[in-house]
Amino acid sequence: MAKLEINGNAVNVDAEPDTPLLYVLRDDLKMNGAKFGCGLGQCGACTVLVDGKAAFSCVVPVSVLEGRKITTIEGLGTIEKPGPVQRAFIEEQAAQCGYCTAGLVMRTEALLKATRQPSEAQIRDGLSPNLCRCGTYNRVIKAVQRAAQYMRTASAEAGSDKT
Amino acid sequence: MRTIIGIIVAVAALAGLGGVFVSRPSIAPIERPQASTFPAEAVKAGASLAAVGNCITCHTKDSGAPFAGGRAIETPFGRIYATNITPDPVTGIGRWSEPAFGRAMREGVARDGRHLYPAFPYDHMAKTSDADIKSVYAFLMTRTATPAPTPANELGFPYSSRSLVAFWKLLYHDRSPFKPQAAQSAEWNRGAYLVEGLAHCGSCHTPRNAMGAEDPSKPYAGADVQGWTAPALGATSDAAVPWTADRLYDYLRKGRSPQHGVAAGPMAPVVRNLAGVSDADIKAIATYVASIAGAPSAMRQAQATQAIARAKGEGAPSRNAPSGPGAAIYAGACAQCHGEAGRAPLDPALNLALSTSVRAGSPNNLVRVILSGIQQADNAPGPHMPGFATVLDDKQTADLVAYVRASFTDRPAFAGVDGAARRAR
Amino acid sequence: MTKKTNASKTPGALSRRSLLAGGGALVVGFSMADAFAQAPSAPGAAPAAPPLPGALRGAPMIDSWIRIDAAGKVTVFTGKVEIGQGIKTALIQVAAEQLSVPVSSITLVTADTARTPGEGYTAGSQSMQDSGTAIMHASAQAREILIKVAAEKLGADVASLKAEGGSVVAPDGRKLGYGELVAGDVLKVRAEPGATSKLVRHADYKVMGTSMPRVDIPAKVTGGAAFIQDFRPDGMLHARVVRPPSYGAKLESVDTASIEKLPGVRSVIRDGNFLAVVTAREFQAVKAMEKLAAAAKWSERETMPEQASFYSWLKQQDKRAITIRDDKGPAGQPVKTLEAEYHRPYHMHGSIGPACGVAQFKDGEMTVWACSQGMFPLRAAIAELVKLPPPKVRCIHLEGPGCYGHNGADDAAADAAYIAFKLPGAPVRVQWMRHDEHLWEPYGAGMAMRVKASLDSEGMLTGWDYDVFTDAHSTRPGGAGSTLVGQAIENAFKLPPPQPIPQLNGSGDRNIIPPYKVANLKLVHNFQPHMKLRVSALRGLGAYSNVFAIESFMDELAAAAGADPVAFRLKHLTDPRAIDVVKLTADKFGWKAGAVTGAGVGRGQGIAYSRYKSTAGYCAVAVEVDVDRETGRVRLIRAVSAADSGTVVNPDGIKNQIEGGIIQAASWTLHEAVQFDRTRVLSRDWSRYPILRANETFESVEIHVIDRPGTPFLGTGESSQGPAGAAIANAVFNATGKRMRALPYTPARVKEAIGV
Ligand code: FES
Ligand code: FES
């Protein structure tokens, strides 16, 4: 039995401790966001956040996740109310088949959490653990820039609310 | 340590007073020679020698122009910036004559007479023949000139005083040229010439004393470098299976030896640069390095047989995992590539029963690889491993390391894994 | 309007001006119908009556394409599938425009053998030509039919009514929703393009021709169920297949008993060389698969040529030499002759998600959910495999990860169907592992291209002699024998000998025809179906490498003629649309004519052009690179491209495809080559087959779309890859002065070319 906190919800999953998080998300919890791409930590299709940092869920056994905060793309927003990064990807039409996209969205989320105003070089390096075969990288880079903008505006507004 | 610093300060003060060590004569600048004045053969030979010397690695900063310097070299004494060795006349070595360049290589003195810090391994470069220095000069002088001023070194007193370097040289710098050993083969001698000279393998693999000089009493006994451990190459090697010249050749050519490990950390660029070096020279290097450890003892041989059996999942101690938190981490995070009995049927990643890092005296390299993974430069094909720094905390890293050590070796548990993990982050 | 007028038109003759100058809407509609009717996807046929346009030919009934329910909800059916090219969105746009309904009221059903028309494979950049054209006409005709019904109901004159937002509206404001008009079988009529299908005029487009956001993206970025991998019918079991370690390996022995005892294992299947395990939960399947793989003992043999000498081996194989062109004509006196040979290694599709298929065999009927390109051919293969009559097999498309051609998707579907057949009842999901996909997908074949050409004293081409040596580029449809499971089982099916695909599509000879004016032209396709490595259709088939060779060689010729590469091409182009894309590309790129070639280091510019399949989309790409002299690393600086895909439906969709094609081609060009030894393929995962990463992509990519309203859809999905690869090659030449004729351009190889 693994006790996990996913997108702010406590969940108990009947899974062997060595089960990689990806299989728990997809198979036990029927969540779609994290994708199986290689199972080897090479492609990033399975990227989620663990305590706000990007992780390859295909090589993270659930046994190490007790007490950690897991965020998946389902936790960033909904189709009706997408979060800033999701919105930016939609607006830049930064997908073709879209299979890699959720992982890239999560990679972006982690990047912008760590660096509010990343340079283009930081974005390119930050995204590079994740592969896209369809050739969307340049649109994704634009989406990251747009998302950074949204996040800054959002926090500026939140800031001005306080004053 | 304190006394040593005391001595240094005293000597430095003395040196400053006397001025004798402060600098050497300047060698007159020349007009930057045209690239076309260098014979193509020399340039080509120089390219291979410079590759053996791994020059580009220290003299190029991340995403900087090749050879234009600026890379920070962390030393126990402070931060030293590698210089611009492109033929730029102002910021590089464009106005250095060949004798000036030769003096720098042999004596560690810049064209203008300043002493160079021994982060530049002139203690090894001095072994290089005149002809080879000429070739390296030809190679460097025909690179693309890149204007790039070298940042000032960040060294505290007394190390900021270059006269101290002169004193250091008096103590430690052996300027004698390479002497071949008649009893050895030509190949061995060629290897020795390169390894002791340009390749400066001892710079990393030989431990240093408090003054930062290689300890001549412990050649190739292994040392800590840039947070990594350069493994011992001599008889004290931790390798599960003794290195042979063939295995070393394979490793230096491909960056990977199935019986030992993958060239990672500071060794990765060394291997990458060797791509431009002839098979013959790599064989020579391998022959010499293999000879450092000498023929393996019967005990070493027996150990190797055991380790190979363990790698195949046969023999004792059994690879049946001790249970505990590390076992689940291994199964969920590592087994996909490294295999437990049955996993990864085709060409798996390194078999950990044969990994030098898993068997080493210090957990340093193992921890580093676990946390930062292995990525090939320029996205070239080759071993790849994700880093686990974001998901494994220090305790979990220690659990995993303990499990790996226990199940893949017959060695006692590591000490100091927590500390290694903290330092590696 | 008569058929005579129709027949006298030539395709593509319709310019924007003639459209605007044309008479009433009817004229325009008819003329457009004409242009579309002659779309190049329909070669060969010369019936008395003009053939129906696009895919209407195979499915001429309007209600095969369009159905409307009593509530006015519109369902559009296509036999094509979404493979990341954005076809769903474009087809919805076409239907919405022509039906005059809001985009949101349309549901699009993609290929399903029980519901949609059969349209073969979604391949060759033909979805818009085939399905787009059919849906456009069917929608327009449906709209006119509904207006006619409304006219009767309202007692109004047809001409006074108009369709608007899903209703028919009378001048007096009376309004009937489509739902109220569809009673009975009003849409069960044959398509009559030009008679009743009045296409909306380009000038009146509201939805077509504008960039509509892709309909599938929101779900894909919010965790919606978007892919076959997300499909989890109740009671689904998980299966993994243990494939042989190498081609031709035989399963000597396997102890399945210990595997059967593992947690969750429902079944271990062994049939000949086919080995699979079925479990209740997914990770159980992974673990059991690994144990099963360890338990299996295979005998392997050397079946492949030496990689190091692959190209000379390739040229020595028995071949069928097919002469594609042998033109002789008057030309100037040759003063210079150049000869060169170019090489391309085996490439992978390398979809980011390995293949997946789900199947259920219940009550004697097989249902298969698959992400491959052709549901109808897949049905035939599976019916043969499990020996069911085709009507008992239903194949439903669900979106998969980008497919780029014939990858493992059909095989995974066949795996699932075969396992489901042995375990009737529950749905069975087969998810391939990364190494399954890397080792077993059919690759794009390795190729050698040899070319010789001459120039006269004016620097004009006088002759062009070109040979391509290559394997098969399509092993479809092939039936059960083309699936891995079909080949592996005890009573194996045989893969029928593959055939070259005739021009103009071509296979290994796709795009073999240089788009330039040259009087003496000899083109030979040396087809060698040895198939030592598993091969089939990969995006563009031979086009990428033929264009790489032709456009590299054009650069070599330009250099020999002392001409600028752009000027040299323009001098030899005759098609005005080709000239337009080349000029626009050069212009937007800021092409510097006569920029120094071979400074030996640093920046370089390169350009290349092709018209995909010689009949489809026009595309030119210009690229700037920076070559590091010391390491040979090629940094991608800029790409600028102009594309003409005929009538534009979704400009951003076209841009996205062109851009994606350029970036994927950059990956092919700089990195990719399948590694193998005599026995095994060694590229078992991304570490042995790296592809371009985000930090290596261009600093900027800029696409310019030329709209040609009223001309046929030309397709876009594959048109940029050839020119992109060649433009990079030419830019590297421009930067270094060294011509590299073998792909890929890895730093080590570039460094070797540059020298010290
Ligand atoms: S699926 Fe996890 S990195 Fe590829
Ligand atoms: S959009 Fe298809 S893999 Fe990235």
Side-chain angles (χ1 to χ4, degrees), chain C residues 261-621:
Chain C
K261 285 190 219 104
L262 291 173
V265 171
R266 295 294 172 84
S267 175
V268 178
I269 294 166
R270 181 192 172 174
D271 181 349
N273 292 315
F274 184 74
L275 200 51
V277 58
V278 186
T279 65
R281 296 169 64 181
E282 189 168 15
F283 196 57
Q284 291 170 336
V286 175
K287 283 178 155 181
M289 168 208 74
E290 287 164 343
K291 293 245 156 49
L292 185 59
K297 304 277 175 280
W298 303 86
S299 59
E300 301 181 63
R301 57 204 171 85
E302 294 185 343
T303 59
M304 286 177 281
E306 204 69 65
Q307 184 162 22
S309 53
F310 170 72
Y311 299 102
S312 42
W313 174 89
L314 173 68
K315 286 182 289 171
Q316 284 157 14
Q317 297 306 295
D318 277 352
K319 55 186 171 256
R320 182 154 22 130
I322 305 158
T323 302
I324 304 297
R325 288 278 278 273
D326 192 359
D327 302 352
K328 295 204 172 39
Q333 202 49 265
V335 294
K336 253 186 206 162
T337 298
L338 267 62
E339 215 175 329
E341 184 173 313
Y342 299 85
H343 295 155
R344 168 189 104 145
Y346 287 86
H347 281 166
M348 282 183 197
H349 299 79
S351 173
I352 290 301
C356 180
V358 182
Q360 183 172 26
F361 183 56
K362 211 174 148 190
D363 306 329
E365 301 200 352
M366 179 72 77
T367 309
V368 181
W369 293 267
C371 55
S372 81
Q373 292 172 293
M375 291 303 106
F376 288 82
L378 179 64
R379 173 174 69 176
I382 286 175
E384 187 187 357
L385 178 72
V386 297
K387 305 196 168 60
L388 284 173
K392 293 275 174 209
V393 178
R394 176 180 179 189
C395 291
I396 303 168
H397 182 264
L398 292 176
E399 270 186 59
C403 99
Y404 331 110
H406 182 184
N407 61 3
D410 296 273
D411 295 301
D415 288 343
Y418 197 70
I419 297 168
F421 189 68
K422 298 222 159 187
L423 286 179
V428 176
R429 174 182 191 261
V430 171
Q431 168 69 64
W432 276 18
M433 300 303 285
R434 173 46 54 201
H435 64 263
D436 293 327
E437 186 81 30
H438 260 58
L439 297 177
W440 287 98
E441 66 148 277
Y443 308 130
M447 298 169 65
M449 289 75 60
R450 199 166 59 199
V451 53
K452 183 171 162 186
S454 307
L455 294 165
D456 66 16
S457 55
E458 307 289 300
M460 291 300 286
L461 281 167
T462 59
W464 179 282
D465 198 335
Y466 185 100
D467 275 89
V468 58
F469 300 85
T470 183
D471 208 328
H473 283 257
S474 174
T475 50
R476 277 167 158 174
S482 75
T483 66
L484 289 175
V485 54
Q487 296 163 5
I489 53 178
E490 189 71 56
N491 296 312
F493 294 86
K494 265 210 120 35
L495 176 63
Q499 296 302 324
I501 302 171
Q503 289 283 337
L504 292 165
N505 273 332
S507 46
D509 57 333
R510 185 168 290 181
N511 273 90
I512 192 174
I513 305 168
Y516 305 104
K517 196 166 54 191
V518 47
N520 297 297
L521 191 61
K522 175 104 195 259
L523 308 173
V524 181
H525 175 199
N526 299 279
F527 176 77
Q528 294 140 300
H530 44 68
M531 302 208 293
K532 300 293 183 192
L533 279 76
R534 188 173 190 232
V535 290
S536 194
L538 168 62
R539 199 173 185 182
L541 279 59
Y544 162 80
S545 32
N546 285 319
V547 173
F548 162 70
I550 293 170
E551 287 296 282
S552 293
F553 199 59
M554 279 300 280
D555 242 47
E556 298 196 42
L557 289 161
D564 175 72
V566 171
F568 185 71
R569 283 176 173 79
L570 290 173
K571 205 156 95 162
H572 287 92
L573 282 172
T574 49
D575 183 339
R577 290 170 73 171
I579 291 169
D580 282 357
V581 293
V582 171
K583 279 191 170 157
L584 186 61
T585 301
D587 185 41
K588 297 287 182 186
F589 180 81
W591 183 265
K592 291 191 239 18
V596 195
T597 288
V601 63
R603 297 272 164 134
Q605 58 175 8
I607 193 164
Y609 156 78
S610 90
R611 182 176 188 196
Y612 185 53
K613 298 195 276 192
S614 307
T615 53
Y618 299 82
C619 183
V621 179

Side-chain angles (χ1 to χ4, degrees), chain B residues 22-302:
Chain B
V22 174
S23 60
R24 301 276 305 277
S26 152
I27 295 180
I30 56 167
E31 269 309 301
R32 179 187 162 191
Q34 291 289 312
S36 56
T37 59
F38 296 96
E41 275 315 299
V43 175
K44 208 168 148 214
S48 167
L49 293 163
V52 169
N54 199 24
C55 313
I56 196 169
T57 303
C58 286
H59 286 281
T60 307
K61 67 176 179 194
D62 289 344
S63 60
F67 299 110
R71 173 174 294 280
I73 318 271
E74 305 291 343
T75 76
F77 314 105
R79 186 174 295 149
I80 292 173
Y81 288 93
T83 53
N84 182 341
I85 52 169
T86 73
D88 180 61
V90 183
T91 61
I93 59 168
R95 308 197 66 191
W96 290 34
S97 60
E98 195 191 308
F101 179 75
R103 183 174 75 171
M105 290 279 280
R106 291 245 167 73
E107 300 177 29
V109 175
R111 185 195 61 75
D112 61 8
R114 275 176 311 139
H115 289 290
L116 297 169
Y117 285 97
F120 171 46
Y122 42 80
D123 45 339
H124 290 277
M125 301 298 155
K127 302 273 170 282
T128 310
S129 71
D130 288 348
D132 284 355
I133 286 181
K134 202 179 173 87
S135 296
V136 174
Y137 178 71
F139 171 71
L140 289 174
M141 294 305 275
T142 52
R143 297 309 89 199
T144 307
T146 308
T150 305
N153 295 331
E154 295 158 27
L155 297 165
F157 187 78
Y159 309 114
S160 53
S161 160
R162 285 187 188 254
S163 51
L164 191 64
V165 176
F167 179 66
W168 186 94
K169 286 182 188 172
L170 271 183
L171 292 178
Y172 303 114
H173 184 34
D174 168 16
R175 288 180 44 190
S176 65
F178 173 76
K179 284 186 253 2
Q181 294 191 17
Q184 297 285 359
S185 70
E187 186 177 57
W188 184 95
N189 273 309
R190 173 72 180 161
Y193 166 74
L194 291 173
V195 167
E196 299 297 338
L198 273 169
H200 64 285
C201 305
S203 286
C204 291
H205 289 275
T206 298
R208 290 174 185 270
N209 64 18
M211 287 289 283
E214 287 173 34
D215 182 345
S217 68
K218 297 181 190 143
Y220 302 106
D224 286 351
V225 189
Q226 296 170 44
W228 292 77
T229 303
L233 304 180
T236 53
S237 161
D238 286 310
V241 179
W243 284 104
T244 60
D246 284 350
R247 289 184 186 132
L248 276 162
Y249 170 80
D250 228 39
Y251 174 81
L252 293 173
R253 241 337 30 144
K254 299 180 190 148
R256 173 176 195 258
S257 161
Q259 291 89 6
H260 300 88
V262 168
M267 192 61 194
V270 173
V271 169
R272 201 158 60 240
N273 284 327
L274 289 179
V277 177
S278 69
D279 285 349
D281 274 353
I282 301 221
K283 281 202 178 103
I285 290 173
T287 301
Y288 175 70
V289 173
S291 78
I292 294 172
S297 64
M299 200 185 80
R300 288 273 284 135
Q301 288 290 26

Side-chain angles (χ1 to χ4, degrees), chain A residues 35-39 41-46 56 58:
Chain A
K35 298 282 189 285
F36 173 76
C38 65
Q42 295 177 347
C43 76
C46 63
F56 300 121
C58 67

